[in-house]
Amino acid sequence: MKTRRVTAAIASVLAISLGASACGGDSDSGGGSAKGKKDEALTSIVNASSKKGGTLSFELSDVADSLDPGNTYYGWVQNFSRLYGRTLTTFKPAAGKDGLTVVPDLAESLGTPSADAKTWTYKLRTGVKFQDGTPVTSKDVKYAIERSNFAPEVLSNGPTYFKSYLVGGDKYTGPYKDKNPNGLASIETPDAQTIVFKLKQPFADFDYLATFSQTAPVPAAKDDGAKYVQHMVSSGPYQFESYEEGRSATLVRNPQWDAKTDPNRKALPDKITVKFKVNAVTIDNDLLSDKITADAGGTGVQAATQPKVLKGKNSNQTDSSYAGATSYIALNQNVEPFNNINCRKAVQYGIDKQSIQDAIGGEPKGDIATTLLPPSVNGYTKFDTYPSAGNKGDAAKVKEFLTACGKPNGFSTILTARSDRPTEIAQATAVQASLKKYGINVEIRQFPAGKYFSNFAGVPSYVHQQKLGMLSMAWGADWPTGFGFLDQIVNGSAIKPSGGNNLMELNDPKINAALAAAIANTDTAARTKAWGDIDKMVMDTATVVPTIYRKNLLYRPASATNVTVTQAYLGMYDYLLMSSSK
């Protein structure tokens, strides 16, 4: 997802590569002052506390794509929205590998599949209410999925899994256009507590899909499309006291939330605040001075801040977490000259990946990538389709493929990057410098992260019109399998008019068919092997230039309590657990 989730394999990777401590955090019933140990939050809960009260404070360098659970695809929002939106299932709020376990949330148990895994049934817990006291029903969950998946003209962000796999999903026009009050027939609600999904084909990972914020209930009577974000109705322990678009949001306790119906949320803070559009370095400084609890984006401190936290007196308050994500450059095959595979191959061999790693802050920010799947994701296979000595590029190969594509003297193109992300801009600058020596002139255009996919890079018509040939991207698994990583970025069915993530506009029939066949395969070993095979197929198209397997160098202020890294959400801290002694 626009940097989102990882895999079960990561627990062992972390333990081996980081030497993480397996001991538990210090217990303190009154809120602690313990700072913990370096990397301690990777496998334990640091500065554990049962104290209620205080304020959990976040800052973000831009804005969210949307705080509406049905209109988001950013990993940090998927993590954050669990505070006010309960989904059918969720990832267990727990340290280490336990945090990758899917557990019931709004549902009273995990889904019950049919023998062929084409029908999935969930029973909702009784007693769950919206903030206005209205009971949450299966129809509210059905409606939430319909609005979030089938009305891209209104809600353009978020994945397309339900649309792709539900029977009739390809023809359903969504609740804003559909005149049938019963909605999509393949989502059945036989009673207030039961919801049944009818799928086109077997889908072994459906319980993972049910963790998406798109399953957080929405009362149809309160929905007004894109404006719903201004007055969202909470089903979780917190509700919005205020929301100023582009500036801030404040959450307070939801008096209708009943802890007896919710085994996953302790709801310790009294208040939660988020400030948007804060300079990234300012956020780092606010963390170091203990003015805020966390950087909402969860991607780690900036390169300029690294020396302060790696060698300073507070280095024991850091967690070097694998994000289970890959940074890459998407080459849009519908923008000249990248409609020619040889021009794409010239760029593959021309980019100096070592210079990228150096530019973004070195090894603490990640390892050099040669595949789309990162090593921590189930199905990863080590290979390098476009090798070069020292990962610095291959001049002879660049010349060969420039000649083959009819551009022996090079060409000009545009590379996008998100304006509030210094490491992404640093990567783009390194790419620009490494290609210039081959006559490939790259213009860098910056766009705001909050609208990057909905208005710019994720809008094919805009990309084509503006001739955006190279697009900066970072991606983590939607859930802990190779399918959860690959499907929304390489499947042709994921291409959307806006809010898309398949930035290459890759629509290869063989790749599409391989994805569909693998997710329907009930043989776990065969399914796992398929993800590596599909990765090789994608790299053969030369539409993706993997650059970095990402790491997050996280910093936890002394006042932060109940701090642990969740690999289910890109190696950021688990916002469902966090609290503060302030």
Side-chain angles (χ1 to χ4, degrees), residues 92-108:
K92 185 178 181 180
K97 62 182 181 181
D98 287 346
L100 288 166
T101 304
V102 177
V103 295
D105 185 4
L106 191 59
E108 62 183 19

Side-chain angles (χ1 to χ4, degrees), residues 113 116-118 120 199 201-208 479 481 518-524 527:
D116 61 2
K118 292 173 67 175
W120 287 77
L199 309 179
Q201 66 173 63
F203 196 96
D205 287 352
F206 202 85
D207 275 331
Y208 288 113
W479 61 80
T481 71
I519 194 58
N521 194 331
T522 56
D523 184 322
T524 301
R527 203 164 58 242

Side-chain angles (χ1 to χ4, degrees), residues 306 320-323 325 327 353-354 356-358 360-369 547-553:
Q306 282 181 205
S320 184
S321 166
Y322 273 98
S327 291
K353 295 182 182 180
Q354 182 60 60
I356 293 175
Q357 186 187 46
D358 295 341
I360 67 171
E363 189 273 338
K365 298 298 288 186
D367 300 326
I368 292 173
T547 56
I548 299 291
Y549 301 130
R550 294 178 52 173
K551 292 180 182 176
N552 300 331
L553 181 60

Side-chain angles (χ1 to χ4, degrees), residues 17 30 52 82 131 212 223 231 267 336-337 358 418 435 451 456 479 528 550 555 575:
S17 64
K52 284 193 173 184
R82 298 187 297 161
Q131 67 185 61
F212 263 100
D223 180 33
H231 54 83
E336 292 184 350
D358 295 341
R418 283 167 279 197
L435 292 178
K451 302 296 181 184
F456 307 110
W479 61 80
T528 298
R550 294 178 52 173
Y555 180 84
Y575 298 152

Side-chain angles (χ1 to χ4, degrees), residues 377-448:
V377 168
N378 178 272
Y380 164 79
T381 303
K382 185 178 181 179
F383 64 92
D384 190 352
T385 306
Y386 309 98
S388 65
N391 295 299
K392 292 180 176 293
D394 186 325
K397 287 287 188 181
V398 175
K399 183 176 180 180
E400 174 189 342
F401 287 108
L402 282 177
T403 301
C405 80
K407 305 283 185 181
N409 298 317
F411 54 83
S412 296
T413 189
I414 297 169
L415 169 61
T416 67
R418 283 167 279 197
S419 57
D420 66 303
R421 301 192 175 187
T423 55
E424 192 160 282
I425 295 169
Q427 172 177 272
T429 303
V431 169
Q432 181 185 54
S434 60
L435 292 178
K436 185 175 182 179
K437 57 189 175 184
Y438 303 115
I440 301 174
N441 299 306
V442 177
E443 174 191 342
I444 299 171
R445 287 192 193 171
Q446 299 180 30
F447 301 95

